[in-house]
Amino acid sequence: AVLCSAIRQIVRDLDHEHSGTTLSAVLIDERREQVALAVLGDSPIVLFSDDRADPFVTPQHNTLLCDTDVTTIRERIDRIRMSRSWDMYEGEPSISGHYIMVGSRGVNLTRAAGDARYSGLLLRDPFIATRPFHRGGLVLLGTADGVRINQSTAPTPADAVWTRYAAAANLVRSGGGAVDVAHLASETCRAEGYPLDNITVITILG
């Protein structure tokens, strides 16, 4: 509840900002040995358990990987069109391909803070989950630009994240830090021919 309230306050504070941001947050309760994960946007959090089982992966809120969000946004656009109430926007809202458009500008996020141009279209509620977090567990936070999950051909987002993050998890468990993970992501993107315009990495080892 505390984490959800804090994120909603951040969303309200950024309500009129034209630029937007994803948000990923982790709150660790050492006494209860659990962790609360919160995501708004498509920068995922990956939680590896101490037994190295397949990771728990938070949803990625974009038009490629979150069909339920896209359906909700389509319904919002339909209501705006029916009421002809798009005067508040810089052009008629629409969905074109994998982009939510307002006039000639578009985003592929379905949830974000800020991005006032898409107010009333993007969803603002974060995904929040509480999971066990015992000694030996590992949390990785990384931007989607850094790991290029959207371009993955893996069967599911979880498979894609496992493929991208497994090497990073092993690196951290063997003593590597966030800088080492960032370097690994950079080299991976370069080898695959993808540009890397930004990367953020946080590692938490229980």
Side-chain angles (χ1 to χ4, degrees), residues 103-182:
S104 61
R105 298 187 179 186
V107 294
N108 71 347
L109 291 173
T110 56
R111 304 190 190 202
D115 277 325
R117 182 178 291 104
Y118 306 93
S119 179
L121 301 176
L122 299 182
L123 283 66
R124 303 301 191 183
D125 290 328
F127 166 87
I128 294 182
T130 300
R131 306 282 294 186
F133 188 63
H134 306 297
R135 184 171 181 81
L138 172 64
V139 176
L140 291 178
L141 291 81
T143 64
D145 290 330
V147 295
R148 294 291 163 184
I149 292 170
N150 293 352
Q151 283 81 7
S152 174
T153 57
T156 69
D159 291 337
V161 172
W162 173 257
T163 300
R164 301 300 190 193
Y165 276 83
N170 291 333
L171 182 61
V172 174
R173 290 186 188 279
S174 64
V179 172
D180 300 305
V181 174

Side-chain angles (χ1 to χ4, degrees), residues 39-40 50 68 75 83 115 126 131 136 153 170 180 186 202 205:
V39 167
L40 184 70
D50 52 357
T68 55
E75 292 171 351
S83 63
D115 277 325
R131 306 282 294 186
T153 57
N170 291 333
D180 300 305
S186 176
I202 300 174
L205 184 61

